[in-house]
């Protein structure tokens, strides 16, 4: 299958690219991440995604637009609209924006399906992303290729180190940059990782 792989960053691309290629798919990477803040970090992640693509011989399309103001406007209005939800409404918006853009690009450029490296991260709201991607696929009439890549999270970290890629310390937006210093979030993330390992959704790289 000819798949457009939305790349949230270089490190998260390591396992999905290896796995999808091993399964016989033909991939093109697509960098579209207006959520990343500040500009220096955006540029660094973009450069790392390109560096990764070069190192593994992956075609990549890059959107260099740094659209901080639109991101903030959308994020704040999502939070305001859905402040009663327990999940982070801004993340749902953030997934939807990026996945929708990937779906449109895939459709316009003759791909069989789209997916995202976001599905490797144990820190993301996996089920929310899946639901969002499925709705976009239906609306845009382009298949969404689903695979739970989290099983290869540890393997991806190993590949990333072997390729000597920059690994970022926070998800991307200014809010996640704040949260990385927040003890409550740190504890919640630790608990989440432990649970995923117990459920064997996250597997140790042996
Ligand atoms: S935490 Fe990550 S997924 Fe959520 S809004 Fe920020 S950058 Fe997007």
């Amino acid at each position: 299958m000819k798949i457009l792989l939305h790349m949230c960053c270089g490190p998260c691309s390591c396992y999905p690219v290896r796995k999808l290629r091993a399964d016989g798919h033909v991939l093109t990477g697509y960098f579209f991440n207006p959520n990343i803040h500040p500009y220096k970090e955006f540029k660094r992640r973009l450069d790392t995604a390109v560096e990764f693509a070069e190192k593994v011989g992956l075609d990549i399309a890059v959107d260099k637009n740094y659209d901080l103001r639109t991101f903030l406007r959308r994020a704040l209005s999502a939070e305001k609209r859905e402040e009663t939800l327990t999940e982070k409404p801004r993340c749902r918006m953030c997934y939807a924006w990026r996945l929708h853009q990937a779906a449109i690009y895939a459709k316009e450029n003759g791909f069989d399906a789209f997916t995202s490296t976001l599905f490797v991260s144990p820190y993301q709201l996996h089920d929310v992303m899946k639901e969002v991607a499925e709705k976009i696929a239906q609306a845009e009439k382009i298949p969404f290729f689903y695979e739970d890549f989290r099983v290869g999270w540890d393997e991806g970290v190993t590949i990333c180190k072997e390729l000597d890629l920059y690994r970022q310390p926070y998800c991307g937006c200014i809010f996640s940059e704040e949260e990385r210093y927040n003890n409550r979030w740190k504890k919640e993330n630790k608990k989440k990782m432990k649970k995923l390992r117990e459920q064997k959704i996250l597997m140790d790289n042996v």
Side-chain angles (χ1 to χ4, degrees):
M1 199 184 254
K2 194 178 153 199
I3 298 176
L4 183 76
L5 178 66
H6 166 260
M7 295 166 71
C8 59
C9 62
C12 284
S13 306
C14 292
Y15 176 77
V17 167
R18 179 176 283 182
K19 173 69 169 56
L20 291 170
R21 280 179 163 170
D23 291 344
H25 299 292
V26 178
L27 306 176
T28 296
Y30 178 61
F31 186 94
F32 173 76
N33 301 291
N35 52 315
I36 302 168
H37 171 88
Y39 178 73
K40 268 190 174 174
E41 179 69 20
F42 172 80
K43 182 76 174 59
R44 194 168 183 194
R45 292 194 199 184
L46 189 159
D47 290 345
T48 305
V50 171
E51 180 190 343
F52 166 77
E54 281 170 5
K55 284 180 172 170
V56 301
L58 177 75
D59 283 342
I60 182 172
V62 166
D63 190 326
K64 293 185 177 166
N65 199 18
Y66 177 63
D67 201 356
L68 172 67
R69 282 167 193 260
T70 310
F71 176 81
L72 286 179
R73 210 167 34 241
R74 290 183 181 200
L76 291 173
S77 91
E79 297 276 331
K80 206 170 156 190
R81 236 183 7 249
E82 299 178 49
E83 59 199 4
T84 52
L85 293 183
T86 49
E87 67 176 48
K88 294 181 199 161
R90 71 160 193 275
C91 295
R92 178 183 281 269
M93 176 286 297
C94 185
Y95 303 142
W97 190 7
R98 291 185 281 167
L99 292 168
H100 188 231
Q101 198 63 32
I104 289 172
Y105 188 94
K107 195 164 81 168
E108 287 177 352
N109 290 279
F111 288 87
D112 299 322
F114 71 98
T115 190
S116 175
T117 57
L118 286 163
F119 289 93
V120 80
S121 171
Y123 300 109
Q124 302 298 346
L125 303 167
H126 194 93
D127 295 339
V128 173
M129 283 192 302
K130 185 168 178 267
E131 182 204 319
V132 165
E134 280 164 355
K135 278 191 185 153
I136 290 169
Q138 235 179 4
E140 293 299 337
K141 301 193 177 14
I142 168 110
F144 160 57
F145 181 94
Y146 174 68
E147 184 163 336
D148 189 346
F149 297 120
R150 290 176 297 181
V151 70
W153 171 253
D154 287 312
E155 190 178 331
V157 172
T158 305
I159 302 168
C160 180
K161 286 180 184 161
E162 282 165 7
L163 293 175
D164 197 23
L165 300 175
Y166 160 64
R167 287 185 71 213
Q168 62 270 8
Y170 61 100
C171 187
C173 66
I174 189 168
F175 307 102
S176 60
E177 210 277 332
E178 176 204 40
E179 283 165 6
R180 75 174 156 140
Y181 300 109
N182 180 317
N183 283 335
R184 193 184 121 221
W185 288 115
K186 278 195 238 172
K187 272 190 206 153
E188 277 188 18
N189 270 340
K190 258 194 189 162
K191 259 201 276 175
K192 190 175 173 187
M193 294 291 273
K194 191 169 173 250
K195 196 169 164 204
L196 289 173
R197 287 201 190 282
E198 282 165 6
Q199 293 171 331
K200 303 274 183 227
I201 291 172
L202 270 185
M203 304 288 278
D204 294 333
N205 186 22
V206 284

Coordinates of all heavy atoms in Angstrom, one line a residue, residues 2-5 26-30 60-62 100-114 140-142:
K2 N 0.4 2.3 -0.7 CA 1.2 3.5 -0.8 C 0.6 4.4 0.3 O -0.5 4.9 0.2 CB 1.0 4.1 -2.2 CG 1.9 5.2 -2.5 CD 1.7 5.7 -3.9 CE 2.1 7.2 -4.1 NZ 1.5 7.8 -5.2
I3 N 1.4 4.6 1.4 CA 0.9 5.3 2.6 C 1.6 6.7 2.8 O 2.8 6.8 2.7 CB 1.1 4.4 3.8 CG1 0.3 3.1 3.7 CG2 0.6 5.2 5.1 CD1 0.5 2.2 4.9
L4 N 0.8 7.7 3.1 CA 1.3 9.0 3.5 C 1.5 8.9 5.1 O 0.5 8.7 5.8 CB 0.5 10.1 3.2 CG 1.1 11.5 3.5 CD1 2.2 11.9 2.6 CD2 0.0 12.6 3.6
L5 N 2.7 9.0 5.5 CA 2.9 8.9 7.0 C 3.1 10.3 7.6 O 4.2 10.9 7.4 CB 4.2 8.1 7.2 CG 4.6 7.9 8.7 CD1 3.6 7.1 9.5 CD2 6.0 7.2 8.7
V26 N 4.8 1.2 0.9 CA 5.7 2.2 0.4 C 5.3 3.5 1.0 O 4.1 3.9 1.0 CB 5.5 2.3 -1.2 CG1 6.3 3.4 -1.7 CG2 5.8 1.0 -1.8
L27 N 6.3 4.2 1.6 CA 6.0 5.3 2.5 C 6.5 6.7 1.9 O 7.6 6.7 1.3 CB 6.6 5.1 3.9 CG 6.3 3.9 4.6 CD1 7.1 3.8 5.9 CD2 4.8 3.8 4.9
T28 N 5.8 7.7 2.2 CA 6.3 9.1 2.1 C 6.0 9.8 3.4 O 4.9 9.7 3.9 CB 5.6 9.8 0.9 OG1 5.9 9.1 -0.3 CG2 6.0 11.3 0.8
G29 N 7.0 10.5 3.9 CA 6.8 11.2 5.2 C 6.1 12.6 4.9 O 6.3 13.1 3.8
Y30 N 5.4 13.1 5.9 CA 4.8 14.4 5.7 C 4.9 15.2 7.0 O 4.3 14.7 8.0 CB 3.3 14.2 5.3 CG 2.5 15.5 5.1 CD1 2.9 16.4 4.2 CD2 1.4 15.7 5.9 CE1 2.1 17.6 4.0 CE2 0.6 16.8 5.7 CZ 1.0 17.8 4.8 OH 0.3 18.9 4.7
I60 N 10.2 12.8 1.7 CA 9.5 13.5 2.7 C 9.0 14.8 2.1 O 9.7 15.5 1.3 CB 10.3 13.8 4.0 CG1 9.6 14.6 5.0 CG2 11.6 14.5 3.6 CD1 10.3 14.7 6.4
A61 N 7.7 15.2 2.5 CA 7.2 16.5 2.1 C 7.1 17.3 3.4 O 6.7 16.8 4.4 CB 5.8 16.3 1.5
V62 N 7.5 18.6 3.3 CA 7.6 19.4 4.5 C 6.7 20.7 4.4 O 6.8 21.4 3.4 CB 9.1 19.7 4.8 CG1 9.2 20.8 5.8 CG2 9.8 18.5 5.2
H100 N -6.1 16.0 9.6 CA -7.0 16.4 8.5 C -6.1 16.9 7.4 O -6.3 16.6 6.2 CB -7.9 17.5 9.0 CG -8.9 17.9 8.0 ND1 -9.1 19.2 7.6 CD2 -9.8 17.2 7.2 CE1 -10.1 19.2 6.7 NE2 -10.5 18.0 6.4
Q101 N -5.1 17.7 7.7 CA -4.1 18.2 6.7 C -3.5 17.0 6.0 O -3.3 17.0 4.8 CB -3.1 19.1 7.4 CG -2.3 20.0 6.5 CD -3.2 21.0 5.8 OE1 -4.2 21.4 6.3 NE2 -2.9 21.3 4.5
A102 N -3.1 16.0 6.8 CA -2.4 14.8 6.2 C -3.4 14.1 5.3 O -3.0 13.6 4.2 CB -2.0 13.9 7.3
A103 N -4.7 14.0 5.7 CA -5.7 13.3 4.8 C -5.9 14.0 3.5 O -5.9 13.4 2.4 CB -7.0 13.2 5.6
I104 N -5.9 15.3 3.6 CA -6.1 16.1 2.4 C -4.9 16.0 1.4 O -5.0 15.7 0.2 CB -6.3 17.6 2.7 CG1 -7.7 17.8 3.3 CG2 -6.2 18.5 1.5 CD1 -8.0 19.1 3.9
Y105 N -3.7 16.0 2.0 CA -2.5 15.9 1.2 C -2.5 14.5 0.6 O -2.1 14.4 -0.6 CB -1.3 16.1 2.1 CG 0.0 16.2 1.3 CD1 0.5 17.4 0.9 CD2 0.7 15.0 0.9 CE1 1.7 17.5 0.1 CE2 1.9 15.1 0.2 CZ 2.4 16.3 -0.2 OH 3.5 16.3 -1.0
A106 N -2.8 13.5 1.3 CA -2.8 12.1 0.8 C -3.8 12.0 -0.3 O -3.5 11.4 -1.4 CB -3.2 11.1 1.9
K107 N -5.0 12.6 -0.2 CA -6.0 12.5 -1.2 C -5.5 13.2 -2.5 O -5.7 12.7 -3.6 CB -7.3 13.1 -0.7 CG -8.5 12.7 -1.5 CD -9.8 13.0 -0.7 CE -10.2 14.5 -0.8 NZ -11.5 14.7 -0.3
E108 N -5.0 14.4 -2.3 CA -4.6 15.2 -3.5 C -3.4 14.6 -4.2 O -3.2 15.0 -5.3 CB -4.3 16.6 -3.0 CG -5.6 17.4 -2.7 CD -5.3 18.8 -2.1 OE1 -4.1 19.1 -1.9 OE2 -6.3 19.5 -2.0
N109 N -2.7 13.8 -3.5 CA -1.4 13.3 -4.1 C -1.4 11.8 -4.4 O -0.4 11.2 -4.6 CB -0.2 13.7 -3.2 CG 0.0 15.2 -3.3 OD1 0.6 15.7 -4.2 ND2 -0.5 15.9 -2.3
G110 N -2.6 11.2 -4.5 CA -2.8 9.9 -4.9 C -2.3 8.8 -4.0 O -1.9 7.7 -4.5
F111 N -2.3 9.0 -2.7 CA -2.0 7.9 -1.8 C -3.2 7.0 -1.5 O -4.3 7.4 -1.7 CB -1.5 8.5 -0.4 CG -0.1 9.2 -0.6 CD1 0.0 10.5 -0.9 CD2 1.1 8.4 -0.3 CE1 1.3 11.1 -1.1 CE2 2.3 9.0 -0.5 CZ 2.4 10.3 -0.9
D112 N -2.8 5.8 -1.1 CA -3.9 4.8 -0.8 C -4.5 5.1 0.6 O -5.7 4.7 0.9 CB -3.4 3.3 -0.8 CG -2.8 3.0 -2.2 OD1 -3.4 3.4 -3.2 OD2 -1.8 2.3 -2.2
A113 N -3.7 5.6 1.5 CA -4.2 5.8 2.9 C -3.2 6.8 3.6 O -2.1 7.1 3.1 CB -4.2 4.5 3.6
F114 N -3.6 7.3 4.7 CA -2.8 8.1 5.6 C -2.7 7.5 7.0 O -3.6 6.8 7.4 CB -3.3 9.6 5.6 CG -4.5 9.7 6.4 CD1 -4.5 10.2 7.7 CD2 -5.8 9.5 5.9 CE1 -5.6 10.3 8.5 CE2 -6.9 9.6 6.6 CZ -6.9 10.1 7.9
E140 N -13.4 12.8 4.4 CA -12.5 13.1 3.3 C -12.5 12.0 2.2 O -11.8 12.1 1.2 CB -11.1 13.5 3.7 CG -11.0 14.8 4.5 CD -11.5 16.0 3.7 OE1 -11.5 16.0 2.5 OE2 -11.9 17.0 4.4
K141 N -13.1 10.8 2.6 CA -13.1 9.7 1.7 C -11.7 9.2 1.3 O -11.4 9.1 0.1 CB -14.0 10.0 0.5 CG -15.4 10.3 0.8 CD -16.3 10.3 -0.3 CE -17.8 10.5 0.0 NZ -18.1 11.1 1.3
I142 N -10.9 9.1 2.3 CA -9.5 8.5 2.0 C -9.3 7.6 3.2 O -9.5 8.0 4.4 CB -8.4 9.6 1.9 CG1 -7.0 9.0 2.0 CG2 -8.5 10.7 2.9 CD1 -6.3 9.0 0.7

